[in-house]
Amino acid sequence: MSTCTACQTIRAGQAGQSSHPGLVHQGYVTPTQKGRELNREDRYRCVHCETKWLRETDRWGIDMGFKLAP
């Protein structure tokens, strides 16, 4: 499966990027890894290509950028 053109414009790991209109928010989880317990991980899915993305925010509210979901 390949990503759509809109998903290809997202730079993984770069903070401050906005999602494209086809990304649907699927909810969030709180990581359980040591040192990340206070972070928030928002999950997104693209309606065009079904690519799954994660966007992590640290405990101080700093955006850590998008990354592809495993």
Side-chain angles (χ1 to χ4, degrees):
M1 177 190 288
S2 60
T3 59
C4 66
T5 306
C7 280
Q8 291 175 11
T9 63
I10 297 174
R11 292 188 162 170
Q14 185 174 2
Q17 291 195 80
S18 59
S19 61
H20 66 75
L23 282 184
V24 177
H25 190 257
Q26 301 285 294
Y28 72 92
V29 296
T30 303
T32 57
Q33 251 180 326
K34 186 176 181 181
R36 294 178 58 217
E37 301 93 344
L38 299 175
N39 293 5
R40 175 180 164 145
E41 197 173 77
D42 289 278
R43 296 176 180 213
Y44 294 87
R45 183 184 55 81
C46 179
V47 296
H48 305 293
C49 65
E50 300 294 321
T51 301
K52 294 179 182 177
W53 292 93
L54 303 174
R55 183 180 209 159
E56 191 166 352
T57 307
D58 72 9
R59 62 179 152 186
W60 296 286
I62 296 173
D63 175 26
M64 298 172 73
F66 283 99
K67 62 182 176 182
L68 290 171

